[in-house]
Amino acid sequence: MTRPQERVGEHAPLSPRLSLDEVRGLVTEFWPDSGLWVSEVSPYRVVVTAGPEGLECRPGGTLSGPAIFKAADLSSFLAINAYAGRVLTGVLTHGSVSLLEAAEPGPLTVVVEVVRLGRRTAVANGRISDAEGGLVAVTTMQFALPSRQVLSPGP
């Protein structure tokens, strides 16, 4: 039973275990030429800009579905690391991307909210917008985590 002040679907904000600079350091260390830029790490969300470098287009001039999935996957991985600590061995076990509109070439903004962070799994929901701010995709990414790294103290 929920308390009166709780609403369905709401949860307490998570405290990031990595700072904005530390999450940016992950990008620099592992994907230096990816075109990813982390602009926010807060108790509510992680915001990543992807591209336009590294985002492939399909014939016809729109961004490809796999390019959008890649942006969602990497952004969710960064968000999970921001809240769980440096969990580099986290593995994507399920990914769902609903493509809502064709995305024109250009940068994508990925806003990720970690909705579950457990001992062995983490789930992140994302909203992906194009350069004009139009919503082009919504995502859910589930990761398997090694429990020792999530439970250990942060760096």
Side-chain angles (χ1 to χ4, degrees), residues 83-149:
Y83 295 110
R86 198 173 157 100
V87 186
L88 302 179
T89 56
V91 177
L92 181 67
T93 57
H94 176 80
S96 172
V97 176
S98 295
L99 302 170
L100 306 174
E101 296 284 335
E104 296 299 318
L108 296 174
T109 301
V110 185
V111 178
V112 180
E113 177 185 14
V114 177
V115 296
R116 181 180 193 288
L117 181 59
R119 291 182 188 169
R120 301 293 291 176
T121 63
V123 178
N125 289 338
R127 298 174 56 86
I128 302 177
S129 303
D130 62 14
E132 287 77 41
L135 186 63
V136 297
V138 292
T139 69
T140 300
M141 300 287 172
Q142 181 174 337
F143 291 82
L145 303 174
S147 62
R148 289 183 312 237
Q149 286 184 305

Side-chain angles (χ1 to χ4, degrees), residues 10-26:
E10 286 188 356
H11 60 278
L14 295 171
S15 296
R17 295 180 71 187
L18 297 182
S19 68
L20 176 61
D21 287 337
E22 289 171 317
V23 176
R24 285 178 177 163
L26 290 174

Side-chain angles (χ1 to χ4, degrees), residues 58-97:
R58 65 175 60 254
T62 60
L63 291 178
S64 70
I68 295 170
F69 188 96
K70 177 183 173 183
D73 176 26
L74 295 178
S75 297
S76 296
F77 180 82
L78 291 169
I80 298 298
N81 274 267
Y83 295 110
R86 198 173 157 100
V87 186
L88 302 179
T89 56
V91 177
L92 181 67
T93 57
H94 176 80
S96 172
V97 176

